[in-house]
């Protein structure tokens, strides 16, 4: 009878033991120093990222030229060019990896674009409210 | 002479006819055929409670027409379209309109036409509208297309002032909607989509290069227009190298430390005039006499007019062209300095320069190099290069170790120049594998150089970077996803005494 009473306890202990073993096996040992580190082959070891800013033009009857500029969210200038609003264009710039958005300015119009992955996009065709 | 005169006289009617047929009357039109009124809105048209419709039996011309909401209000501001700002010509405004016949009895459906003068202090610059035309749809055959023709009021014809025209659709007694199409407004388009659709203004452009002075970084220089910065106008990046390649590094990443900011100057045609590189030499925790430079990957040397400002000694191991580029290279190479110890002098104690806290600090030096592509409007023999053709990843920075020109150390996965001894790739601790695009990395993919685009403070001599920056390994292990700001000075991020 005593043995029978012990059975659930023993079973629980066995289960816990097996769980504990699995847990130990599944946790990888983290590298303590650079000599133990194996980095991904694709890692670029830079704190910047090259992002592609895709700009969709607005079809117009007459060309509209103005200065197109890209800057960081704090206003630090990255890129400027003379641009026709009609043109589609893709621009590559390097931004710090911590940046989550980039500003685009055309003439006096300025917009903030979210950086998604390594891309940001903008269209001169407005989004209608209704 | 008489014959010549006869020929001219005989040709006159033909000449006159040609002149008459080639004179085009300026007009601003709306035919809706884009199928997307957002496109017209981008061109400064305005729409109020109106959309585009392609309902086959109601479209007036082409595949699309303007469709209003149900006309249940007599106010002109219920359903409308507005032109962009324009200088009104003379003649008639014309368009076509109909009702959809979906109502339960037409009693009063109207069209109003007004002009809106520009008022700088009013919202959107729109002054008080002046209505000059109204039209009542007949109560019968409501779906019949009506051709509307409205003379432009004499007081604004051919004026140098700018106006918008406002065509409104209004009504009571029924739910009909109006359809309209083929709008023609005599006059000249005068809106500026790049300036909140306000009227165009004559730009100030002192150097007449087409770039407004307010946007021109060089308003009095017709050959230059814009600055384009890497990493940015207000910041420097830092390059930090180990020089023991291809052998194992101690990873204090201070054998050569230099800050950089590159300004690519372009002209109004977006072609590169010059690259101005500012390099701040900060430290060399090495006994090697290292050089430093960069290759513009993919850019042919014959696209460069000249390179100036480099610090190259008379008896350098680098062979330079007369225009300042390094000779015998496939791509353009700029050697910023050939020997760090010629730029910054050893203080007399400690290992290297500015890496031992106990040794005297040597002031930083700034080297400005200019790579010129266009000189007074004239390109190099290899032709001009547009800003779009210079990918930011074309900057391939490297050091040349201890005056041995053939030993180059590049940032990871950047290619050696064609003066490097590629026999060294894959030797020692280096696991470069050109077939896989792997360069200057160990078997575990550790580099001999890093690029911190926001700049950073390097470790003191013989202190591995991960001992100085406590999240460096987390950052590397996560391929840059975690602790992207590992270099910043935040609590728990770094050990101050291990950083110079």
């Amino acid at each position: 009878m005593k043995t029978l009473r012990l059975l659930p306890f023993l079973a629980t202990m066995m289960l816990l033991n097996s769980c504990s073993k699995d847990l130990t096996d599944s946790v990888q040992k983290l590298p303590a120093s650079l000599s133990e580190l194996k980095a991904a082959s694709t890692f670029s070891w830079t704190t910047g990222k090259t992002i592609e800013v895709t700009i969709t033009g607005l079809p117009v009857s007459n060309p509209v030229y103005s200065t197109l500029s890209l800057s960081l969210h704090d206003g630090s200038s990255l890129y400027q060019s003379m641009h026709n609003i009609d043109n589609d264009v893709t621009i590559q710039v390097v931004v710090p990896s911590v940046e989550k958005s980039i500003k685009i300015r055309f003439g006096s119009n300025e917009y903030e674009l979210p950086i998604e992955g390594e891309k940001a996009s903008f269209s001169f065709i407005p989004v209608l409210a209704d | 002479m008489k014959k010549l005169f006869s020929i001219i006289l005989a040709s006159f009617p033909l000449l006159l006819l040609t002149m008459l047929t080639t004179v085009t009357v300026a007009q601003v039109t709306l035919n809706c055929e884009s199928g997307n009124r957002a496109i017209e809105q981008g061109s400064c048209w305005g729409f109020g409670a109106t959309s585009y419709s392609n309902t086959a039996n109601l479209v007036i011309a082409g595949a699309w027409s303007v469709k209003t909401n149900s006309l249940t209000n007599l106010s002109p501001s219920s359903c409308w379209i507005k032109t962009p700002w324009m200088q009104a010509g003379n003649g008639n405004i014309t368009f076509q309109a109909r009702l959809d016949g979906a109502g339960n009895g037409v009693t009063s459906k109207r069209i109003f036409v007004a002009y809106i003068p520009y008022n700088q202090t009013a919202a959107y610059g729109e002054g008080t509208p002046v209505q000059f035309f109204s039209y009542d749809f007949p109560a019968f055959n409501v779906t019949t297309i009506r051709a509307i023709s409205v003379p432009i009021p004499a007081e604004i014809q051919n004026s140098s002032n700018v106006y918008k025209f406002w065509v409104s659709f209004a009504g009571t007694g029924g739910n009909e909607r109006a359809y309209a199409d083929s709008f023609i407004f005599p006059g000249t388009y005068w809106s500026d989509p790049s300036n909140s659709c306000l009227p165009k203004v004559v730009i100030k452009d002192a150097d007449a290069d087409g770039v407004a002075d307010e946007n021109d970084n060089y308003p009095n220089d017709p050959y230059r227009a814009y600055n384009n910065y890497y990493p940015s106008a207000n910041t420097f990046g830092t390059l930090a190298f180990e020089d023991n390649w291809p052998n194992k590094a101690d990873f204090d990443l201070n054998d050569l430390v230099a800050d950089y900011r590159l300004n690519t100057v372009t002209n109004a045609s977006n072609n590169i005039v010059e690259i101005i590189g500012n390099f701040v030499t900060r430290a060399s925790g090495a006994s090697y006499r290292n050089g430093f430079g960069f290759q513009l990957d993919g850019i042919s040397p014959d696209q460069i007019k000249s390179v100036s400002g480099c610090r190259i000694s008379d008896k350098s191991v680098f062979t330079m062209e007369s225009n300042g580029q390094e000779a015998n290279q496939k791509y353009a190479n700029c050697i910023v300095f050939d020997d760090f110890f010629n730029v910054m002098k050893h203080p007399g104690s400690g290992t290297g320069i500015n890496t031992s806290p106990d040794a005297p600090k040597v002031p930083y030096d700034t080297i400005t190099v200019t790579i010129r592509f266009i000189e007074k409007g004239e390109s190099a023999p290899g032709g001009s290069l547009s800003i779009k053709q210079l990918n930011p990843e074309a900057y391939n920075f490297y050091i040349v170790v201890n005056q041995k020109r053939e030993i180059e150390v590049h940032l990871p996965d950047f290619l050696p120049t064609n003066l490097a001894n590629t026999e060294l790739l894959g030797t020692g601790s280096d696991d470069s594998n050109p077939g896989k695009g792997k360069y200057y990395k160990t078997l575990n993919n550790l580099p001999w150089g890093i690029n911190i685009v926001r700049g950073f403070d390097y470790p003191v001599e013989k202190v591995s970077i991960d001992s100085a920056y406590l999240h460096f390994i987390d950052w590397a292990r996560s391929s840059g996803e975690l602790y992207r700001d590992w270099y910043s000075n935040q609590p728990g991020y770094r050990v101050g005494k291990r950083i110079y």
Side-chain angles (χ1 to χ4, degrees):
Chain A
M1 193 61 191
K2 216 173 194 179
T3 314
L4 278 176
R5 279 184 191 159
L6 275 173
L7 271 176
F9 173 73
L10 288 171
T12 309
M13 287 307 290
M14 282 172 71
L15 198 66
L16 283 174
N17 264 341
S18 72
C19 286
S20 167
K21 189 169 183 292
D22 284 344
L23 195 64
T24 310
D25 286 348
S26 67
V27 173
Q28 286 184 328
K29 192 172 169 244
L30 296 178
S33 69
L34 274 174
S35 56
E36 295 173 19
L37 174 70
K38 182 168 173 57
S41 60
T42 51
F43 184 43
S44 60
W45 295 93
T46 173
T47 62
K49 58 183 174 186
T50 301
I51 63 162
E52 219 174 64
V53 184
T54 307
I55 296 166
T56 305
L58 172 76
V60 288
S61 338
N62 299 310
V64 178
Y65 284 97
S66 193
T67 297
L68 175 80
S69 63
L70 298 174
S71 59
L72 297 177
H73 81 277
D74 66 1
S76 294
S77 173
L78 299 173
Y79 172 94
Q80 298 182 95
S81 67
M82 179 56 75
H83 183 75
N84 180 1
I85 201 171
D86 201 359
N87 289 354
D88 295 341
V89 68
T90 300
I91 301 164
Q92 289 187 321
V93 287
V94 175
V95 299
S97 303
V98 293
E99 293 289 326
K100 292 181 176 148
S101 64
I102 189 166
K103 283 183 178 171
I104 183 170
R105 187 179 177 90
F106 182 69
S108 65
N109 305 329
E110 187 171 85
Y111 311 88
E112 187 146 0
L113 313 178
I115 298 171
E116 286 158 0
E118 289 171 352
K119 291 182 187 299
S121 59
F122 173 74
S123 175
F124 281 109
I125 301 172
V127 177
L128 300 179
D130 53 342
Chain B
M1 188 66 189
K2 201 172 178 183
K3 193 176 175 187
L4 184 66
F5 182 74
S6 308
I7 291 170
I8 292 171
L9 203 65
S11 308
F12 185 73
L14 185 66
L15 210 65
L16 189 67
L17 184 67
T18 308
M19 283 170 67
L20 285 173
T21 51
T22 53
V23 169
T24 51
V25 178
Q27 50 186 216
V28 176
T29 63
L30 176 68
N31 64 17
C32 315
E33 291 309 300
S34 69
N36 178 7
R37 72 195 154 94
I39 290 175
E40 273 67 54
Q41 194 158 313
S43 289
C44 308
W45 287 85
F47 299 90
T50 50
S51 58
Y52 283 1
S53 169
N54 60 352
T55 305
N57 59 333
L58 291 170
V59 162
I60 292 173
W64 294 85
S65 293
V66 165
K67 180 181 89 171
T68 70
N69 287 357
S70 292
L71 304 178
T72 56
N73 192 315
L74 275 174
S75 165
S77 56
S78 300
C79 303
W80 47 265
I81 66 151
K82 269 181 205 165
T83 67
W85 292 109
M86 53 186 289
Q87 287 185 327
N90 55 19
N92 284 20
I93 295 166
T94 60
F95 56 95
Q96 295 178 302
R98 74 189 328 172
L99 298 174
D100 65 1
N104 53 8
V106 175
T107 55
S108 179
K109 305 290 179 193
R110 285 182 192 152
I111 298 172
F112 300 106
V113 182
Y115 65 81
I116 302 172
Y118 179 63
N119 178 348
Q120 197 174 357
T121 59
Y124 309 110
E126 293 181 359
T128 306
V130 178
Q131 186 187 310
F132 60 90
F133 175 81
S134 71
Y135 171 82
D136 283 11
F137 281 99
F140 54 90
N141 296 335
V142 293
T143 59
T144 301
I145 296 170
R146 318 286 174 178
I148 312 294
S149 182
V150 190
I152 290 179
E155 68 268 23
I156 65 167
Q157 279 181 20
N158 300 320
S159 166
S160 59
N161 295 328
V162 294
Y163 300 90
K164 288 181 179 180
F165 288 107
W166 186 27
V167 180
S168 304
F169 302 87
T172 56
N175 298 321
E176 275 87 0
R177 298 163 188 263
Y179 280 67
D181 207 335
S182 307
F183 292 90
I184 297 174
F185 299 88
T188 305
Y189 183 91
W190 211 263
S191 270
D192 184 357
S194 74
N195 186 25
S196 305
C197 282
L198 290 170
K200 280 193 287 190
V201 290
V202 177
I203 62 166
K204 285 182 186 165
D205 182 11
D207 58 13
D209 64 353
V211 179
D213 288 353
E214 61 179 329
N215 296 322
D216 195 333
N217 295 120
Y218 304 86
N220 296 306
D221 181 348
Y223 300 117
R224 292 173 177 80
Y226 298 120
N227 292 329
N228 299 271
Y229 292 100
Y230 170 53
S232 86
N234 303 336
T235 55
F236 278 82
T238 301
L239 300 162
F241 288 96
E242 286 289 303
D243 66 1
N244 205 30
W245 185 88
N247 298 313
K248 198 176 172 187
D250 61 7
F251 240 89
D252 55 11
L253 284 168
N254 65 15
D255 292 344
L256 193 148
V257 182
D259 289 348
Y260 68 92
R261 180 167 64 206
L262 296 150
N263 176 13
T264 304
V265 180
T266 53
N267 61 20
S269 303
N270 302 328
N271 287 325
I272 298 173
V273 177
E274 61 203 358
I275 296 171
I276 302 169
N278 284 302
F279 296 94
V280 182
T281 51
R282 292 173 64 193
S284 175
S287 55
Y288 287 169
R289 304 181 77 85
N290 297 322
F292 167 73
F294 60 98
Q295 175 168 272
L296 294 173
D297 284 351
I299 307 301
S300 170
D302 69 357
Q303 291 181 282
I304 309 286
K305 276 271 195 186
S306 64
V307 178
S308 59
C310 307
R311 304 267 185 96
I312 308 294
S313 48
D314 291 341
K315 293 179 181 175
S316 178
V317 297
F318 296 86
T319 307
M320 313 305 288
E321 297 281 8
S322 58
N323 72 352
Q325 295 186 77
E326 189 179 25
N328 306 314
Q329 288 282 21
K330 180 182 179 187
Y331 299 124
N333 273 256
C334 169
I335 306 302
V336 179
F337 54 82
D338 64 348
D339 183 349
F340 192 95
F341 288 96
N342 287 344
V343 179
M344 291 173 79
K345 300 296 178 196
H346 192 275
S349 65
T351 305
I353 298 170
N354 289 347
T355 56
S356 301
D358 301 333
K361 185 170 182 178
V362 179
Y364 298 159
D365 199 353
T366 299
I367 301 171
T368 300
V369 298
T370 303
I371 304 172
R372 192 148 291 145
F373 293 74
I374 299 175
E375 185 86 55
K376 290 198 163 64
E378 187 189 317
S379 301
S384 58
L385 186 70
S386 84
I387 182 75
K388 275 179 65 185
Q389 290 173 280
L390 186 70
N391 186 306
E393 288 167 3
Y395 292 109
N396 180 354
F397 300 103
Y398 62 93
I399 63 172
V400 170
V401 177
N402 204 22
Q403 302 300 296
K404 292 175 183 161
R405 179 61 194 86
E406 71 279 10
I407 302 181
E408 296 179 357
V409 184
H410 290 248
L411 296 174
D413 291 338
F414 278 85
L415 272 63
T417 78
N418 66 322
L419 295 182
N421 179 4
T422 52
E423 301 273 309
L424 295 172
L425 295 172
T427 64
S429 295
D430 181 66
D431 189 47
S432 293
N433 185 341
K436 291 182 176 173
K438 180 178 181 179
Y439 291 95
Y440 298 101
K441 293 201 290 201
T442 67
L443 186 64
N444 282 350
N445 298 314
L446 303 189
W448 274 266
I450 61 172
N451 178 5
I452 300 97
V453 299
R454 275 264 169 95
F456 95 131
D457 300 324
Y458 51 90
V460 296
E461 191 58 30
K462 301 295 178 198
V463 169
S464 179
I465 190 168
D466 57 306
S467 299
Y469 288 93
L470 304 178
H471 295 301
F472 183 82
I473 286 186
D474 299 320
W475 172 69
R477 190 165 48 85
S478 67
S479 291
E481 288 301 313
L482 299 175
Y483 295 100
R484 294 174 183 208
D485 57 348
W486 59 265
Y487 49 85
S488 62
N489 190 5
Q490 295 188 53
Y493 270 48
R494 60 194 218 170
V495 181
K497 65 182 179 186
R498 295 176 181 166
I499 294 170
Y500 190 83

